[in-house]
Amino acid sequence: MILDNAINLITTGFCVFCAQLLLMRRRDTEVYLPLALLFLFKAVATGTDVLAQTYDPENLGILFRVSVLVGGLEIASPFLFWAYVRALTSEGPTERIRKWGYHIAPMLFVLLAFWSLLLLPADFQETDLPQDDPRLLGYLLIVLAVLMADFVFKAMIATYVYLTVRRLIAYRARLKEVFASTENRELNWIWAILACVAFYLCVSVAFTIAVVTGVFAENLFETHLQTLDSLALLVVFWVIGIWGLRQRPGMSRQSVVVETPPDEPMARKYEKSALDADRLQRIASKIETAMSKDLLYRDPNLSLWDLAKHIGVTGHYVSQALNTQLNKSFFDLVNGWRIKDAIEQLTTTDETILVIAYDVGFNSRSAFYKAFKRETGKTPSDLRK
């Protein structure tokens, strides 16, 4: 109990610290507000629970009831994390969340079912209840409600993990349409968080099923599981805080409007475009010239918007020319030119591989090796053997 409360106190303090820093930000407030609320709700819920465990360990007094009321704030955590990722990966202003009812209804159900614990009498003891005790039916109904709330909440977590994964996959694909170097924008830390949450969810579901089916009694592992649960949540919130405080929106520059989903056929995607085939071909030629003569690909921070500005057209027109005339994404085009330049330098100069990697526009050695292997099937070192 003491160790568990100590871990929860650390979590509370850290979450308060992160929430304060996020709420004080003046830029990209629509991105950081869900994350700030996530930390704030966790801090209030965990802090109140520590007070209840310390001063009302038998769960008979007012502190227990306050902790139950405040603990309901954590039900919004999966939604808030998804909303944060959604805002973080949006282009331009954050999109409005539609169909709020689909998000509010399950949270409200879980909240009300969880709050059924408040209906327990203050002097209620769950052990050794006689079968003719009139309170037994009410107690069983409350247990059933809490159990249903637990399963629905786990289903909510799984749903928001799925929605977040789908969002990140679409975001990663979009990055390659806009940026030549994506390694610092891919939000890999969020993928790690999702993997940990998915593992935690599987273990939690298995434990709940084992308790319900009577495979083992919950109190057999109760103390150790509470401590491990508190420690796991501390680590998860610590990682979210460390990375979330310094993470900037990946599409922080001027957005490139995509009028239809990227998986639609090109003919339908650009059917309303004002460009004819001849003009698209001229834009494609300007793109090739910008790469072959102006060596624009050597800019390590090159984006679709920079290329569009360089050749004097809109970003949407550049995207259309890439997709319909060159049949390449912006990422593949630029990195193709970078690898072509690197191959020439590797075979004609004595410069080190790292110098060449930076010279042709890569931000890191690992990104260079990965792109080189993808383009040629070999490593730069293999080429020099």
Side-chain angles (χ1 to χ4, degrees):
M1 179 65 71
I2 296 177
L3 178 59
D4 188 48
N5 283 343
I7 295 173
N8 285 333
L9 278 176
I10 295 173
T11 302
T12 300
F14 180 75
C15 288
V16 169
F17 174 75
C18 292
Q20 180 183 10
L21 291 181
L22 290 166
L23 289 172
M24 290 175 61
R25 294 198 170 180
R26 294 294 177 265
R27 292 185 58 184
D28 303 314
T29 54
E30 70 281 0
V31 174
Y32 296 112
L33 180 59
L35 189 61
L37 292 177
L38 176 68
F39 281 111
L40 183 62
F41 288 176
K42 179 62 180 176
V44 173
T46 304
T48 307
D49 184 63
V50 170
L51 289 176
Q53 292 294 329
T54 303
Y55 298 104
D56 186 17
E58 300 298 326
N59 298 334
L60 299 176
I62 188 65
L63 279 177
F64 167 71
R65 298 178 180 277
V66 172
S67 68
V68 171
L69 280 172
V70 175
L73 293 173
E74 290 195 83
I75 294 170
S77 297
F79 165 77
L80 289 172
F81 188 74
W82 167 77
Y84 163 67
V85 174
R86 185 176 181 274
L88 194 64
T89 56
S90 294
E91 296 188 47
T94 305
E95 311 161 29
R96 289 179 53 210
I97 297 177
R98 301 178 181 178
K99 300 180 179 180
W100 274 95
Y102 289 103
H103 301 283
I104 293 177
M107 287 191 287
L108 187 60
F109 172 82
V110 174
L111 183 63
L112 294 177
F114 178 66
W115 277 352
S116 66
L117 289 170
L118 298 172
L119 299 177
L120 289 173
D123 60 345
F124 181 80
Q125 296 292 331
E126 62 180 88
T127 57
D128 299 327
L129 273 180
Q131 293 185 356
D132 58 349
D133 193 313
R135 298 176 299 174
L136 182 60
L137 178 60
Y139 171 70
L140 292 177
L141 289 175
I142 291 173
V143 170
L144 179 61
V146 173
L147 189 61
M148 290 179 62
D150 181 62
F151 276 108
V152 173
F153 183 62
K154 287 179 172 60
M156 283 174 51
I157 295 175
T159 300
Y160 283 112
V161 167
Y162 165 74
L163 292 175
T164 304
V165 167
R166 191 174 70 172
R167 182 80 183 188
L168 289 175
I169 290 173
Y171 168 73
R172 180 173 286 183
R174 183 64 182 141
L175 283 178
K176 292 188 176 183
E177 295 182 0
V178 178
F179 297 103
S181 301
T182 63
E183 59 270 13
N184 295 326
R185 301 174 183 265
E186 292 187 350
L187 306 179
N188 290 326
W189 67 274
I190 295 182
W191 285 99
I193 289 292
L194 292 177
C196 292
V197 170
F199 176 75
Y200 172 80
L201 183 62
C202 292
V203 173
S204 180
V205 170
F207 175 73
T208 301
I209 292 174
V211 171
V212 172
T213 56
V215 174
F216 54 75
E218 184 176 7
N219 57 10
L220 185 63
F221 299 95
E222 186 174 0
T223 302
H224 298 299
L225 281 174
Q226 285 183 350
T227 302
L228 287 175
D229 182 77
S230 298
L231 185 60
L233 288 175
L234 171 60
V235 172
V236 168
F237 276 87
W238 190 279
V239 174
I240 294 175
I242 295 299
W243 284 94
L245 285 172
R246 63 180 183 176
Q247 182 67 61
R248 293 293 305 276
M251 298 288 186
S252 57
R253 298 181 62 178
Q254 175 189 355
S255 65
V256 181
V257 178
V258 180
E259 298 176 355
T260 54
D263 57 346
E264 289 209 8
M266 291 300 169
R268 292 182 58 189
K269 184 175 181 179
Y270 299 112
E271 63 182 357
K272 295 182 180 180
S273 174
L275 297 180
D276 55 27
D278 289 339
R279 189 175 178 192
L280 280 171
Q281 186 57 51
R282 287 197 296 271
I283 293 174
S285 297
K286 288 183 178 180
I287 293 173
E288 293 289 344
T289 300
M291 298 297 159
S292 61
K293 294 185 178 180
D294 301 334
L295 307 182
L296 206 62
Y297 60 85
R298 289 189 173 182
D299 179 359
N301 299 312
L302 184 65
S303 70
L304 185 74
W305 308 309
D306 298 324
L307 175 58
K309 183 178 179 180
H310 183 82
I311 64 177
V313 299
T314 67
H316 185 63
Y317 287 172
V318 171
S319 180
Q320 184 176 351
L322 287 171
N323 289 324
T324 60
Q325 302 298 313
L326 300 177
N327 297 316
K328 294 181 179 179
S329 67
F330 178 74
F331 179 87
D332 291 334
L333 173 80
V334 175
N335 283 285
W337 279 98
R338 287 174 175 175
I339 297 304
K340 182 179 179 180
D341 190 354
I343 291 174
E344 183 177 353
Q345 293 193 43
L346 285 168
T347 54
T348 59
T349 71
D350 294 326
E351 291 288 356
T352 65
I353 292 176
L354 186 60
V355 168
I356 293 174
Y358 284 117
D359 184 58
V360 300
F362 287 97
N363 285 314
S364 66
R365 180 188 180 94
S366 61
F368 174 55
Y369 268 75
K370 184 177 179 180
F372 199 95
K373 183 75 172 179
R374 184 176 58 249
E375 287 283 333
T376 66
K378 301 179 180 180
T379 67
S381 300
D382 293 335
L383 200 65
R384 279 189 161 176
K385 289 180 181 179

